[in-house]
Amino acid sequence: MKKFACVILSALALTSPAFAQKMTSDDLKWINQCISDNKGEEGGKPDIIRAYCICMNEKMDDNETRSVTQWEKANPEAQQDCEKKAGWK
């Protein structure tokens, strides 16, 4: 399942102008952890969670050491913005 998620994320990164910046293996690691952390959340369909986690990862500094889940708690405005962009209701 993780390989499938990496393939999908890689394809998304290569085809979407919104993600012109290359995703690194570190980005994918954090995004996959975020996806795992958000499974089972109300309204969290796989495509919505993936979009949310990519958005949150993009908002974080490249030198951030906290996980997306830890970082979002300290940055509620970013969390709300990414929820809106991902279509999370």
Side-chain angles (χ1 to χ4, degrees):
M1 183 68 177
K2 286 184 181 185
K3 285 183 183 180
F4 178 74
C6 286
V7 170
I8 296 297
L9 289 173
S10 296
L12 180 63
L14 294 173
T15 60
S16 174
F19 300 104
Q21 185 178 8
K22 274 188 170 181
M23 278 195 199
T24 66
S25 59
D26 191 54
D27 291 328
L28 292 174
K29 177 187 96 171
W30 289 118
I31 291 167
N32 285 333
Q33 181 62 51
C34 174
I35 290 169
S36 178
D37 290 348
N38 283 284
K39 282 185 180 174
E41 291 290 328
E42 186 177 340
K45 296 178 183 172
D47 58 328
I48 291 172
I49 293 173
R50 184 174 50 255
Y52 170 78
C53 291
I54 291 170
C55 177
M56 289 297 289
N57 185 69
E58 289 295 315
K59 288 185 177 289
M60 294 171 66
D61 185 82
D62 287 341
N63 297 317
E64 180 62 58
T65 58
R66 294 175 289 179
S67 72
V68 173
T69 303
Q70 293 167 329
W71 188 84
E72 72 186 353
K73 291 177 175 133
N75 296 277
E77 289 179 11
Q79 180 183 12
Q80 291 171 351
D81 183 52
C82 287
E83 286 174 347
K84 183 178 178 182
K85 288 180 180 176
W88 205 322
K89 298 178 181 179

